[in-house]
Amino acid sequence: MPYYFYDATYILVLIGALISMIASWNVKNTFRTYSRVWNSRNIPSQDIAQMILHDAGIYDVRIERIRGDLTDHYSPNEKVLRLSDSVYGSTSVAAIGVAAHECGHAIQHQEGYAPLKLRSFSVPLANIGSRLSWPIIVLGLILGWSGLLEVGILLFVLVVAFQLITLPVEFDASHRAIRILEAKQLFGDQELQGAKKVLTAAALTYVAALASAILQLVRLILISRRNDD
């Protein structure tokens, strides 16, 4: 078995980890900064989210509070928009930006936004790839079976593909959020710039996740080719 965990290609994993760490630090720091900036209309995030949904003709999506920080998400199957402890009830620029972003996903769902449909379709495949790829890859390395290793790599490709599909969905939701906040004049110019910075930082975490996954995939391909030589 090759020294998988210690070979030179491991630098790619370290680079990917560093990119992800920087992106994670950036979004937390940016959110923390603008969590201390209150919107001039003093409206809590869940009320603004409800307003955005109703203005879009969406009345069958309920808003719930969920534990944690930055655990906010929209569940298309349940038609539930969940806002985290750090967002729900807050009147900060950061919280409202995040809430508006999740409303963007709900609007995507209502409109049948194609990339969102594709991402929903690919979730089971990505889950299979995430669960099975590494056990198969490790087993292929231990046994020295290049065919098994290649199967594991193909399964990991499903994970990378899911990360790629996620990008347009997230960027579009953020663009929708900014357009809505601007059109409804819920923020002043400085507040709007703060919301943009929060959403940009959040979007970059998905870019970092994709970059990290691609680097890992490149490493696996290099290891597979080396084993074939």
Side-chain angles (χ1 to χ4, degrees), residues 29-229:
N29 186 61
T30 306
F31 184 86
R32 189 183 306 114
T33 298
Y34 289 98
S35 288
R36 296 189 289 266
V37 179
W38 315 115
N39 80 83
S40 54
R41 296 182 63 176
N42 200 36
I43 305 175
S45 61
Q46 71 274 15
D47 290 346
I48 287 183
Q50 194 77 76
M51 187 190 311
I52 292 172
L53 293 176
H54 287 178
D55 284 353
I58 301 173
Y59 296 93
D60 57 349
V61 170
R62 67 182 186 275
I63 299 173
E64 296 180 351
R65 186 169 189 156
I66 188 172
R67 299 174 73 177
D69 293 324
L70 298 178
T71 51
D72 314 83
H73 63 276
Y74 170 67
S75 173
N77 294 332
E78 301 171 281
K79 287 201 168 184
V80 177
L81 193 154
R82 296 188 173 97
L83 301 178
S84 65
D85 289 332
S86 55
V87 171
Y88 193 98
S90 174
T91 61
S92 74
V93 167
I96 291 171
V98 170
H101 172 90
E102 299 307 329
C103 288
H105 287 311
I107 295 171
Q108 288 174 339
H109 186 208
Q110 181 201 42
E111 295 180 354
Y113 182 62
L116 180 64
K117 286 184 174 180
L118 182 59
R119 184 172 76 168
S120 297
F121 173 79
S122 65
V123 166
L125 296 175
N127 287 338
I128 291 171
S130 179
R131 285 196 300 268
L132 297 181
S133 59
W134 283 108
I136 292 175
I137 287 168
V138 172
L139 187 60
L141 288 169
I142 292 172
L143 298 177
W145 294 356
S146 59
L148 195 60
L149 176 58
E150 289 172 3
V151 169
I153 292 174
L154 287 174
L155 287 170
F156 188 75
V157 168
L158 296 176
V159 178
V160 177
F162 179 77
Q163 299 282 7
L164 181 61
I165 293 167
T166 293
L167 282 187
V169 177
E170 296 299 330
F171 275 92
D172 179 77
S174 290
H175 290 154
R176 289 173 188 263
I178 293 301
R179 286 199 304 268
I180 290 169
L181 292 173
E182 192 170 19
K184 295 181 71 62
Q185 298 182 333
L186 293 170
F187 284 162
D189 290 341
Q190 293 301 315
E191 294 170 335
L192 188 64
Q193 289 304 313
K196 286 180 179 179
K197 289 180 180 179
V198 171
L199 294 179
T200 298
L204 288 176
T205 62
Y206 293 97
V207 176
L210 174 61
S212 180
I214 289 174
L215 287 170
Q216 184 68 268
L217 177 61
V218 170
R219 182 192 182 215
L220 292 171
I221 292 171
L222 290 174
I223 291 172
S224 176
R225 287 182 177 177
R226 184 181 60 196
N227 287 354
D228 289 339
D229 292 341

Side-chain angles (χ1 to χ4, degrees), residues 2-12 219 222-223 226:
Y3 293 103
Y4 175 73
F5 293 103
Y6 300 97
D7 65 352
T9 63
Y10 198 66
I11 189 65
L12 297 175
R219 182 192 182 215
L222 290 174
I223 291 172
R226 184 181 60 196

